[in-house]
Each structure stands twice: as C-alpha cells, then as structure tokens.
Amino acid sequence: MPMAEMAGTPHRRPTVYDVATDAGVSAMSVSRVLNGNGNVSSQMRRRVMRSVAKLGYRRNENARSLRPGQRSGLVGVIITNIENPYYAQVLLGIEDALDASDRRIVVGLSHGDPDRETRLIADFAGRQVEGLVLVPCGADAAETSRALGDLPLVLASRAHPGLDADTVVIDDREGSQRGVAALLEEGYRRIAFLGNDEQVSTSQRRFEGYQQALGAAGIAVETGLVRRTCRDQQSSAEAIRGLLATETVDAVFCANNQVTTGVLPELVAWQRRHPNRALIPVLGVDGFRMSSLVEHPLMLVEHDARALGRSAAELLTNRLGPKVAESAPRVTLTLPTVLRQEHS
Amino acid sequence: MPMAEMAGTPHRRPTVYDVATDAGVSAMSVSRVLNGNGNVSSQMRRRVMRSVAKLGYRRNENARSLRPGQRSGLVGVIITNIENPYYAQVLLGIEDALDASDRRIVVGLSHGDPDRETRLIADFAGRQVEGLVLVPCGADAAETSRALGDLPLVLASRAHPGLDADTVVIDDREGSQRGVAALLEEGYRRIAFLGNDEQVSTSQRRFEGYQQALGAAGIAVETGLVRRTCRDQQSSAEAIRGLLATETVDAVFCANNQVTTGVLPELVAWQRRHPNRALIPVLGVDGFRMSSLVEHPLMLVEHDARALGRSAAELLTNRLGPKVAESAPRVTLTLPTVLRQEHS
DNA sequence: TTGAAAGCGCTAACAC
DNA sequence: GTGTTAGCGCTTTCAA
C-alpha cells in the first residue's frame, strides 16, 4: 500500500527527494529514470522504480513544466456551446488528435459571450497551455490578440478575418448553394432563410450560398423571407412562427442544426394545423441525431465535425512541433460538405 | 503594444521580476498588487499595473500553485463518451458550477475503456488537479484508488460500490419501475429489456426496476426478452433486430438513450415492413434531442443531466473547501426522474 | 554512470 | 507599506 494512504500521514505528496532517499540514490537519478532518456544502469532503474511504487510517487507536471523548454502538455479548447452535439463532435476530434501527442485538454465554454471568451483565453494563457483551439464567438480581434500574447492559435469552424491564425472551416457556402439549388430544381421558389446575424461568419457564408443559388436561378432575395435572428432553438422557433404567420413560404433553409431543430417541431405542428397546405420541405446545414426519424421532408448539408476537430488539433500540434517555424504562413483548411436527402 | 509582440524579442515571457524592475519596485510588491490581499498603497498599485500592462505580463499559475497551500484551480472530469448529449449536458452542469469558484476543467474521455480511465486519473493527478469528477466505466476499484492517491473524487451518473466517494446518481431504478408499470397497465405483457451488462451500475438498476415492475404484476422475467449487449447505437440496433427476428414482443424498454436512439430507427423500419403487426411502443431512459419529432409510440424516463453535473461539481467544491473535513462521511445524492409520454 | 548545485516563477515568513 | 530570503518540485548544467 502506498505510504500516502496510511492513516495519520501528514498530507504531503512524495517528491523526487523522498524517492531518492528511500532508494538511497540522488534525486537526479530518480528524474533520469522517470524520463527514460539519460543513461541509467538497469539496477538503478529497478531500485528507483521500486521506491516509486512503494511511495506512490507521481511526478508533478506543473513543477516540471516550470523549467524552460519543458512543455505543459495542456491545450486550451474554447467552444461556444457544448449542448450542441456538433461541438461535442468537434471536441471529440480534438481529443482524438491530441491524444497522439499525449496532451490534455482544458475546456472553456464561452456561451457565445465575447468577454467571457477573452477572459478564458487570458486564463488559459496563465495556465501555460501550449496553444489554443478556438471557436470564436465574435470578440474583437485586437482584444483577442492581446489576451493571446504569443500563444499559437487555431480557429475551428468559424474564421476571424482580423486574427492571424491557422483556420479550419467547412465549405458551407458551396454546400448551401448546392442545397438551395436542389430545392429550386424541385420547383420551390419562395425559399426562406433562417440563420444567425452577419457577425457569425458561418451564417454569413451560408447566406451567401443561398443568395448565389437564387441569383443563378434569376430570383431576387426577398427580405421578407430572411430572418437572421436565430441564436438558438428558442429564437428559431419564434422566427419560423413569425414567418409562417406573415409570408407564403415554399421551403425553408435552416443555416445550422440549432435552427433546424428549433424549426422542425414548429413547422410540423403548423402543417398539422393546416392539412391542406403543401408540405414545406426543410433544408438544414449540419446533421443531428435521430434526423432519420423525422417524417418531414428534410435535406441536409452535412460534414464531418469530428474530422474538423481533428484537423484543428493537427494544425496546432504542427505549429507546436519543432519543424514549423512560428512565423510560417498561416494555413486555412476548407473541408467539403455532402448533400443528403434525409426524407422526402 | 506589449513588449512580447515586438519583433526580434527573444521568447521569454515577462515574470514578476521583469515587472518589478520596470516599475522600480520589488517582486513581492508586484505579487501583492496582483493578489489584491496585502496592504499596498494606491500609488504602488498604479505603478505596478502600468508595468503589467506595458509588458503584457501574466501570472504563471503553474509556478504559483507550486507553493504549498496554493490551489491549482483545475478540476479533472472524466466522462465516457461526449458524443452522447447526455454527458455533454453533465459537463455543462459541471462547468457551470465550477465557474463560481473560478476553476477550470481538464477533460478526459475514457471511451468506456477502464485502462484508459485509470491512466487518465493518474495523469490528472500528476497535473495537480484539485479533485476529480468521474463517470466510471467499470475499472477495478483498487486500481482506481491507487491512481487517485489522496485526490477528492465525486462519482457522477454511475455509482461504484468499491470506491469511497461522494456520488450523484438518479433514481433510475424507481423511474424504470414506474415506466414499465405504466406499460403493463396499458396491457402490454411481453416487454423486452435492452441494456448494457451488469457491470454498468445504471444499467443494472434499470434492469432491477424492470424486474420489480414485472414481479409486482406477477410476471416472470423471460430471459429471451432480455438483451444486455447494448454498448452503443450499433450494438443496440443489432440487438433489436435479433429480438424481432426470434421473439414476440409487445413493447421495448431501452435502458439508456444510446439504446433508444439505436433501436428506434430499426423498430420503425421493421414496423413499416410488417404493417399488420400491432405497434410496439418504446420506453426509454434519458431524453434526447428531437424526441418530440418521433412519430412512434414513445415514453421517456427523464431527468436533468445538467443538474446532475452541477450537483457533482458542488459536492466536489464542498469537499475542497475549508469547511468540510476530508474524512467527513461520504454523501450520495439521488436525483428524481420524470415519466413523460412523448408520443402515443 | 552518477551526484551536487543552481534556478525555473512565484509567494509565505520574516525583517525593516 | 515595502523589501529580503528562502523554498515549493523538478531538471539542466557541470563536475566526479
């Protein structure tokens, strides 16, 4: 049984010196054994390991990373909202990729609050994270840079023009365009857009895809059919209610899965109340669990959130590695989307 | 512009000493100003803060926590699978509660692998986390204890009999019982159980609820109707396929949302292929997004995953606080469930 | 191959 | 109110 568990022992965890004393060697030898690099006799190794096990010793990674040149093995990840399974997937991908270099993740949730985001960045920097993966929520670039200092940064899912950082995004403009074009081909004309405001770059790109598809079909964007107030499921539900009450709608384009999942129940309920109106199909960006159970016409612009997280983490570890100069040109990865007819 | 950003500056972050030199004071004064406790003249405060801003100084939390008695401000959270929105909610609750004491989260995903869980615990301990919230996945209690050392532990969602730790669980045995009883009252007799094996305590309790409800109705558990091989959506889908192929089933009890979401599409598809069979209602434990869109008879035993996370974190911060003795008796919180008819 | 000393950044304890 | 000293746990010199 490790000493630490013995009753009455005062609460001080064993240090290299405790191990050294117990093994009758120097602290330095303990360090060498534990790191596996230096030349150590196999006999020394055995003695030290025995004491390590006996005392229940564990290296203090914080003290270790105090020495210059030592890595903390910690990476900060700031996402907006983990409730959204999309970001959970991103996190999963990040974890996946970082595990390869044996780094751990400190998570922060900005909840979409730029001030909170900035505070988290500063906090993480103080905790000596080696770098940061950020899903930005619209904080001022200058403030973000200040909080970052010299921390390597990778932006995931959303770009930020003002920030000089590696970025992974999906080609949602193109995906949106293809999706809307598909609706147009099926004969739908009055296609509504439901999304977040222009600040959110993803929403903006998806709106552009919408515009371009309409433009290519010679249709002007009708402002009455555009609602850019959808911040979550709640506001999306309100938006579709308002839309259905005031406009004639042929089809609905939902710019993200929060919007889709907010809109669908409302829309389905509305159609039940108006059984002789034609079905209003939904085009959504991002998949969601159980989408296959939806009985309403639904088409999805999907992509691999996990791969996005993985790519972001890989960009970061590259940047952290010895090979890439800190000043190497920034990279932007654009991942493709897939259009899928979920239900028709 | 902070010095650190100036071109050509060698990459050493400013320390208290740099700030002290710049401000013409001692390092101790800088420390005092930054901590806000000690008596410092307002003039000193101003001078220091000016230099801090000028140099872009940020306290090194790792070095700080090296001093005895200083907290690292880090809490480890190990969950099995973040893809499951249920655990994402738990994490959200934990983050919520920890934010109040300005602590951050290091996350680890065990992916249901006990060895990995043990390694993560040891890793986190080495990183000086103050405590741990763990969703255990069945690792040996002795090994877990060894890895933990003297780290305060809170178990969330699943109990672990061998571990001496505060625990938050939900009353899923009782909830399951009520749910199954409700099915029995509606006249269903051959009710299948789909869940994980006995190792997983939640699954076990839910199975007990199933047993008790059947027992109270004078019905014996039929082993042919019990499948305890459901580890994820995939295996759950396989289980229901096998069940439908070999048994007559009146209703299905799914012991968690992975099972429910794995079973539902299969079941719905099967019923479409057998239109003259009676509808087989599903009773599931845990809610899931979009459940309201399911058109299949569905009843859910739900609870507040976020509250569970919050409670777990609160138990931990209590244990960490100065008020509670380390040896204070362990607490087990049992949160209630709600039975909800989602679709009939 | 092993050990001794020095220092990473910070702050508690003790001067003044 | 402010400064000096020492040491938290570890590892990089450098010496043996």
Side-chain angles (χ1 to χ4, degrees):
Chain A
M1 178 204 279
M3 301 291 258
E5 287 181 31
M6 277 174 40
T9 308
H11 263 45
R12 219 197 86 243
R13 298 193 190 171
T15 74
V16 264
Y17 288 95
D18 298 322
V19 176
T21 307
D22 185 86
V25 300
S26 80
M28 206 40 236
S29 295
V30 176
S31 175
R32 272 194 273 257
V33 168
L34 263 44
N35 285 311
N37 356 327
N39 294 343
V40 201
S41 68
S42 61
Q43 164 184 316
M44 167 73 85
R45 164 161 288 110
R46 240 178 303 119
R47 286 181 63 172
V48 168
M49 291 314 274
R50 212 167 49 82
S51 296
V52 163
K54 176 176 161 199
L55 300 179
Y57 169 80
R58 229 153 16 200
R59 185 170 55 197
N60 183 329
E61 293 297 334
N62 282 2
R64 180 176 151 90
S65 75
L66 204 55
R67 302 310 313 280
Q70 296 280 2
R71 323 223 135 267
S72 71
L74 238 38
V75 163
V77 175
I78 301 179
I79 57 185
T80 55
N81 168 18
I82 208 175
E83 270 187 282
N84 188 334
Y86 173 75
Y87 291 117
Q89 287 280 344
V90 173
L91 192 58
L92 190 64
I94 294 174
E95 200 260 359
D96 216 35
L98 286 183
D99 203 50
S101 58
D102 204 43
R103 284 182 241 249
R104 302 281 159 256
I105 294 173
V106 193
V107 266
L109 307 181
S110 65
H111 301 295
D113 173 1
D115 285 351
R116 198 177 148 81
E117 177 184 299
T118 307
R119 265 179 286 129
L120 281 170
I121 294 174
D123 180 288
F124 285 5
R127 290 179 195 283
Q128 311 306 111
V129 299
E130 296 176 41
L132 217 58
V133 177
L134 173 66
V135 178
C137 65
D140 179 56
E143 283 217 44
T144 303
S145 289
R146 182 187 318 284
L148 273 171
D150 55 358
L151 264 191
L153 172 69
V154 174
L155 299 176
S157 186
R158 301 177 185 170
H160 195 138
L163 284 175
D164 179 37
D166 289 332
T167 305
V168 191
V169 289
I170 51 165
D171 202 349
D172 42 9
R173 195 206 48 68
E174 195 268 352
S176 303
Q177 183 177 5
R178 269 193 300 143
V180 174
L183 286 175
L184 290 166
E185 258 177 51
E186 293 175 32
Y188 300 102
R189 280 295 167 273
R190 297 183 57 80
I191 303 172
F193 176 92
L194 294 177
N196 217 323
D197 58 48
E198 306 84 29
Q199 297 291 80
V200 182
S201 67
T202 48
S203 190
Q204 182 54 28
R205 283 199 307 278
R206 291 162 195 186
F207 182 67
E208 287 165 16
Y210 167 78
Q211 279 182 309
Q212 288 176 19
L214 289 181
I219 300 176
V221 172
E222 208 170 305
T223 53
L225 291 175
V226 175
R227 300 289 154 108
R228 307 201 61 174
T229 54
C230 303
R231 300 179 54 83
D232 46 30
Q233 288 190 46
Q234 184 69 36
S235 50
S236 306
E238 282 162 20
I240 185 71
R241 269 200 298 274
L243 199 61
L244 292 168
T246 58
E247 300 281 341
T248 309
V249 181
D250 290 348
V252 178
F253 176 37
C254 299
N256 63 55
N257 66 359
Q258 293 279 80
V259 178
T260 311
T261 53
V263 160
L264 270 173
E266 288 293 329
L267 182 57
V268 168
W270 186 89
Q271 302 235 264
R272 281 207 194 108
R273 290 197 307 273
H274 302 82
N276 37 10
R277 301 280 184 96
L279 280 176
I280 299 174
V282 170
L283 168 68
V285 185
D286 302 338
F288 52 92
R289 267 163 64 106
M290 307 302 292
S291 60
S292 59
L293 285 178
V294 173
E295 305 263 359
H296 190 88
L298 176 65
M299 189 162 53
L300 293 174
V301 178
E302 290 189 335
H303 68 284
D304 190 343
R306 193 160 162 183
L308 185 138
R310 208 179 292 118
S311 298
E314 281 164 2
L315 281 181
L316 187 60
T317 44
N318 272 344
R319 196 59 75 174
L320 295 175
K323 293 172 221 158
V324 179
E326 212 165 291
S327 55
R330 302 305 178 214
V331 179
T332 293
L333 251 50
T334 304
L335 273 41
T337 61
V338 175
L339 192 60
R340 199 161 58 79
Q341 186 74 46
E342 184 63 84
H343 187 93
S344 51
Chain B
M1 180 205 279
M3 300 290 260
E5 288 182 31
M6 278 174 39
T9 308
H11 263 46
R12 220 196 84 242
R13 297 194 190 171
T15 75
V16 266
Y17 288 95
D18 297 323
V19 176
T21 307
D22 185 84
V25 301
S26 80
M28 202 46 228
S29 296
V30 176
S31 175
R32 271 193 272 258
V33 168
L34 262 45
N35 285 312
N37 358 326
N39 295 342
V40 200
S41 69
S42 62
Q43 165 184 314
M44 168 72 83
R45 164 161 288 109
R46 240 178 303 120
R47 285 180 62 172
V48 168
M49 292 314 275
R50 214 167 50 83
S51 296
V52 164
K54 177 178 160 199
L55 299 180
Y57 168 81
R58 231 155 11 199
R59 184 170 57 197
N60 182 330
E61 295 296 335
N62 281 3
R64 180 175 150 90
S65 74
L66 204 54
R67 304 308 313 285
Q70 296 280 3
R71 322 222 134 271
S72 72
L74 237 38
V75 163
V77 175
I78 301 179
I79 58 185
T80 55
N81 168 17
I82 211 176
E83 269 188 282
N84 188 334
Y86 173 76
Y87 292 116
Q89 287 281 342
V90 172
L91 191 60
L92 191 64
I94 294 173
E95 199 259 0
D96 215 37
L98 287 183
D99 203 51
S101 57
D102 204 43
R103 284 182 240 250
R104 301 283 157 256
I105 294 173
V106 194
V107 266
L109 307 181
S110 66
H111 302 294
D113 173 0
D115 285 350
R116 199 178 148 78
E117 176 184 299
T118 307
R119 266 180 284 128
L120 282 170
I121 295 173
D123 181 290
F124 285 4
R127 290 178 197 284
Q128 311 306 111
V129 299
E130 296 176 41
L132 216 58
V133 177
L134 173 67
V135 178
C137 64
D140 179 56
E143 282 217 44
T144 304
S145 289
R146 183 189 316 285
L148 273 170
D150 55 358
L151 263 191
L153 172 70
V154 174
L155 298 177
S157 186
R158 301 178 186 170
H160 196 137
L163 285 175
D164 179 38
D166 291 331
T167 304
V168 192
V169 289
I170 52 165
D171 201 347
D172 41 10
R173 195 205 47 69
E174 194 270 350
S176 302
Q177 184 177 4
R178 270 193 298 143
V180 174
L183 286 175
L184 290 166
E185 258 177 51
E186 292 175 32
Y188 300 102
R189 279 294 167 274
R190 297 182 57 80
I191 302 173
F193 176 92
L194 294 177
N196 216 323
D197 59 49
E198 309 81 31
Q199 298 291 78
V200 181
S201 68
T202 48
S203 191
Q204 183 54 28
R205 284 199 307 279
R206 290 163 194 184
F207 182 67
E208 286 165 16
Y210 167 77
Q211 279 182 309
Q212 287 175 20
L214 289 181
I219 300 177
V221 172
E222 209 170 305
T223 52
L225 291 176
V226 174
R227 300 291 155 106
R228 306 200 64 174
T229 55
C230 304
R231 299 180 54 82
D232 47 29
Q233 289 190 47
Q234 184 67 37
S235 51
S236 307
E238 283 161 21
I240 185 70
R241 268 200 300 271
L243 200 61
L244 291 169
T246 58
E247 300 281 343
T248 309
V249 181
D250 290 349
V252 178
F253 176 37
C254 300
N256 63 54
N257 66 359
Q258 293 280 79
V259 179
T260 311
T261 52
V263 161
L264 270 173
E266 288 294 328
L267 182 57
V268 168
W270 186 88
Q271 302 235 263
R272 280 208 194 107
R273 290 198 305 273
H274 303 82
N276 36 10
R277 302 279 183 98
L279 280 177
I280 299 174
V282 170
L283 168 67
V285 185
D286 302 340
F288 54 91
R289 268 162 62 107
M290 307 303 292
S291 60
S292 60
L293 283 179
V294 173
E295 306 262 359
H296 191 87
L298 176 65
M299 190 162 54
L300 293 174
V301 178
E302 290 190 333
H303 68 284
D304 189 342
R306 194 161 162 182
L308 185 136
R310 209 179 289 118
S311 297
E314 281 164 3
L315 281 181
L316 186 60
T317 46
N318 273 343
R319 196 61 71 175
L320 295 176
K323 292 171 221 158
V324 179
E326 213 165 288
S327 56
R330 303 304 177 215
V331 180
T332 292
L333 250 50
T334 304
L335 274 39
T337 61
V338 176
L339 193 60
R340 200 160 58 78
Q341 186 73 48
E342 184 64 83
H343 187 91
S344 51

